[in-house]
Amino acid sequence: MAPAIDSNGTEAPLLPSHESRERKPASVPGAVFNISTSIIGAGIMSIPATLKVLGVIPAFVMIVLIGILVDVSVEFMLRFTYSGESRTYAGLMKESFGRTGSIAVQLCVMITNLGCLIMYLIIIGDVLSGTGPEHLGVLQEWFGVQWWNIRAVAILFVVLFVLFPLVMFRRVESMWLSSAISVLLAIIFVGICSFMAITALVRGETKNPRILPDFDNGGVSFFDLFTAVPVIVTAFTFHFNVHAIGVEMGKPADMMSAVRIALVLSGAIYFTIGIFGYLLFGEGTMDDILVNFDRSSGSSISPILNDIVRLSYALHLMLVFPLLNFSLRANIDEFLFARRNGKAVLAAVDTRRFVILTVVLLLLAYILAIAIPSIWYLFQFMGSTSAVCLAFIFPGAIALRDIHGISSSKDKITAAVMVTLAVITSTIAISTSIYKMLVVLPTT
């Protein structure tokens, strides 16, 4: 995949020449951390539940397959980006499908990212303040129920003193340290879960994991398998940050190297937490594995380890939050203020607009996180709609449209298969989820 060539036969830079002289290109390790942080968000908490539904072997195959398809879709995006003039996802779609394409991307990014940000705050609130008298948060377990550790106040404190300073960074590369710490926290989370599972395995306290889905005794239907796919798709969706990170890299080859390293790292973390979380809690594994670490759950796990697991995960989400907010803010800015006097004016350059957008998004996410007790079904719905569009359908459609004439026959076949599988799987997943919500749940 070669970069674009200008009229003089030289490589055309992604950034303007004056910016290239003033700023060093982002490093590959920094990009790996940022990509890994974008991938390893809230999806990690639901991976053990997907193993319970799919079985160990199908889940492993699904994680590997989706990781490969994500690599292909990102490669499509970068190849067409460097062959054209756009340096954003929305702009890339606009080159192929006009204004309709750019609006479709922006809406999907807004839905996916805002939904994830709200979910992050809800989970952080669950960890710190619990979900009620039956499930207390860490702060309430330590200090009792106080006015300052109720849900609304605890989340507000996190928003003002932790998240607000982090979301004020104007370059993705500036977040590499927080991203590195976030990945480290995810590894600590996985490490503790693995240690507990191995200890329980030695003591003979674990149950044999389900290798394949149990259609006879597990209460799992064939169509239920499709509802697990959106969870993994959402867990691997980071395409809204591809351009934000890639533009600062300067070289497409470096970006693809960073993407592949991050995918391998993230896939390893996902499967590790999946298998050990499933071993640890067996058929009692909840959709949100953090619920299994609650002190009142009746588990034999050390209360200290319970708290460490929950707090490390909450801190991880706090550090993932700025990256998703970055792409959300950029897309809203591009959607509302795409052109001024014929030239693009970024919010990062316009300080007043940058601050206003940042504050409004934080305030909106906070209000909705307080108003909405749970968005679990919405999260599954996003994985079947906006997330699958960003990860597979849009990149595949770009390769099929092939406005620059650079797609090979193999590329078009791959893109067609990717889009077809995404549409069929998402349709079945949405239909199954709606059927359960409207028919099954009311009768149980």
Side-chain angles (χ1 to χ4, degrees):
M1 180 179 60
I5 307 299
D6 63 17
S7 58
N8 297 321
T10 58
E11 294 183 0
L14 273 175
L15 294 174
S17 58
H18 67 279
E19 292 188 3
S20 301
R21 289 193 299 268
E22 294 174 359
R23 297 173 177 173
K24 294 181 180 179
S27 64
V28 172
V32 169
F33 286 129
N34 283 329
I35 295 169
S36 300
T37 301
S38 300
I39 296 174
I40 307 172
I44 194 173
M45 71 180 179
S46 57
I47 295 297
T50 63
L51 267 72
K52 184 179 72 172
V53 175
L54 294 174
V56 175
I57 293 178
F60 175 76
V61 172
M62 191 62 63
I63 288 173
V64 172
L65 178 61
I66 290 178
I68 292 173
L69 290 177
V70 166
D71 176 74
V72 172
S73 65
V74 172
E75 197 272 340
F76 283 158
M77 290 174 62
L78 289 177
R79 188 192 306 174
F80 278 85
T81 294
Y82 279 82
S83 297
E85 298 180 355
S86 176
R87 295 299 177 260
T88 65
Y89 198 169
L92 180 62
M93 278 290 287
K94 186 175 183 180
E95 287 183 349
S96 295
F97 299 98
R99 178 63 176 163
T100 301
S102 65
I103 292 176
V105 166
Q106 290 164 341
L107 290 177
C108 285
V109 171
M110 293 176 200
I111 293 171
T112 302
N113 286 24
L114 182 58
C116 287
L117 294 184
I118 296 168
M119 184 170 64
Y120 289 1
L121 291 182
I122 291 175
I123 296 171
I124 292 169
D126 290 344
V127 170
L128 299 179
S129 303
T131 57
E134 296 179 354
H135 296 283
L136 298 178
V138 174
L139 294 179
Q140 295 171 335
E141 290 174 348
W142 289 355
F143 305 104
V145 179
Q146 307 289 339
W147 70 267
W148 51 267
N149 60 26
I150 63 174
R151 188 181 191 86
V153 178
I155 296 178
L156 180 62
F157 180 89
V158 171
V159 168
L160 292 178
F161 298 102
V162 179
L163 299 180
F164 183 69
L166 290 175
V167 298
M168 292 303 290
F169 286 114
R170 303 196 183 196
R171 295 190 70 215
V172 173
E173 175 66 8
S174 303
M175 304 177 195
W176 76 268
L177 181 58
S178 63
S179 295
I181 297 173
S182 175
V183 173
L184 177 61
L185 288 170
I187 293 174
I188 291 174
F189 172 74
V190 173
I192 294 175
C193 292
S194 303
F195 171 77
M196 292 189 212
I198 293 172
T199 302
L201 186 63
V202 171
R203 294 176 179 174
E205 298 174 354
T206 60
K207 296 181 180 180
N208 293 330
R210 187 187 301 160
I211 303 301
L212 297 172
D214 186 358
F215 297 113
D216 298 324
N217 303 316
V220 177
S221 70
F222 173 76
F223 293 106
D224 285 334
L225 303 182
F226 290 90
T227 62
V229 176
V231 176
I232 303 178
V233 170
T234 305
F236 274 100
T237 300
F238 69 100
H239 299 64
F240 41 75
N241 271 338
V242 166
H243 288 84
I245 299 171
V247 163
E248 294 181 2
M249 292 288 291
K251 295 181 180 179
D254 287 348
M255 180 59 180
M256 282 309 304
S257 297
V259 167
R260 285 164 183 158
I261 294 171
L263 285 174
V264 172
L265 174 62
S266 303
I269 290 175
Y270 278 154
F271 187 71
T272 301
I273 187 59
I275 187 65
F276 284 122
Y278 186 24
L279 277 173
L280 195 58
F281 301 110
E283 295 306 308
T285 303
M286 305 295 290
D287 291 335
D288 177 358
I289 196 175
L290 285 187
V291 176
N292 291 109
F293 290 97
D294 192 285
R295 290 188 185 186
S296 61
S297 63
S299 69
S300 59
I301 300 172
S302 164
I304 296 178
L305 285 180
N306 270 329
D307 293 343
I308 292 175
V309 166
R310 288 191 288 171
L311 286 174
S312 65
Y313 189 79
L315 288 172
H316 164 74
L317 292 182
M318 292 178 197
L319 296 176
V320 176
F321 191 100
L323 274 174
L324 269 68
N325 181 82
F326 187 97
S327 58
L328 174 62
R329 179 178 54 208
N331 274 272
I332 292 178
D333 178 70
E334 187 177 7
F335 181 74
L336 296 177
F337 311 100
R339 293 279 170 181
R340 183 180 294 176
N341 298 328
K343 295 183 179 180
V345 178
L346 301 178
V349 178
D350 189 331
T351 300
R352 182 170 175 268
R353 195 165 82 234
F354 177 86
V355 173
I356 291 175
L357 279 175
T358 301
V359 172
V360 168
L361 287 177
L362 272 180
L363 182 62
L364 179 61
Y366 170 74
I367 292 174
L368 292 177
I370 298 301
I372 303 173
S374 174
I375 55 169
W376 182 251
Y377 287 105
L378 178 60
F379 179 61
Q380 288 184 318
F381 187 78
M382 285 191 308
S384 303
T385 53
S386 59
V388 78
C389 286
L390 293 173
F392 302 129
I393 295 178
F394 292 163
I398 290 170
L400 289 173
R401 185 68 178 242
D402 193 19
I403 62 170
H404 300 299
I406 59 176
S407 291
S408 64
S409 298
K410 180 181 177 181
D411 292 333
K412 292 186 176 181
I413 293 174
T414 302
V417 171
M418 184 166 64
V419 171
T420 302
L421 288 176
V423 171
I424 293 175
T425 303
S426 296
T427 302
I428 296 175
I430 294 172
S431 302
T432 303
S433 298
I434 293 176
Y435 173 77
K436 279 192 168 186
M437 285 188 288
L438 298 180
V439 179
V440 178
L441 291 180
T443 60
T444 57

